[in-house]
Amino acid sequence: MGWNPNGAERLLLTFDPDGLTMTQRDGDACVVCHKKWPRPRVKVGLLPDNAPVLACDDCAEALLPPQEGNVPLPRRSRAAMS
């Protein structure tokens, strides 16, 4: 995890390219689950050469800590009554 002294921006993880496939390194597959479609869109980290590492929405939510001030509200579901 990167160092962020003032907390102004979100920290990004640094990934080892040796543990990634070529499609993950190119940003064409999720860095976590290898899903290729829909194409991953969330930048979750960097490679040592500063190339971006992308994840799908579900995996990015699990990887990145929630931003301060953006606390998700509990979901309320309504069951259908018959």
Side-chain angles (χ1 to χ4, degrees), residues 34-47:
H34 301 270
K35 185 166 62 171
K36 295 180 184 177
W37 186 258
R39 191 172 187 274
R41 298 175 294 178
V42 182
K43 183 177 174 183
V44 293
L46 298 170
L47 295 174

Side-chain angles (χ1 to χ4, degrees), residues 25-69:
R25 282 182 258 158
D26 290 340
D28 293 328
C30 175
V31 71
V32 178
C33 70
H34 301 270
K35 185 166 62 171
K36 295 180 184 177
W37 186 258
R39 191 172 187 274
R41 298 175 294 178
V42 182
K43 183 177 174 183
V44 293
L46 298 170
L47 295 174
D49 64 356
N50 288 328
V53 177
L54 304 174
C56 64
D57 292 337
D58 294 334
C59 293
E61 188 176 326
L63 277 177
L64 298 174
Q67 294 179 345
E68 289 186 32

Side-chain angles (χ1 to χ4, degrees), residues 14-26:
T14 301
F15 288 84
D16 181 5
D18 292 337
L20 303 176
T21 65
M22 185 62 81
T23 55
Q24 288 174 312
R25 282 182 258 158
D26 290 340

Side-chain angles (χ1 to χ4, degrees), residues 62-76:
L63 277 177
L64 298 174
Q67 294 179 345
E68 289 186 32
N70 189 10
V71 178
L73 298 175
R75 294 184 183 180
R76 294 183 182 171

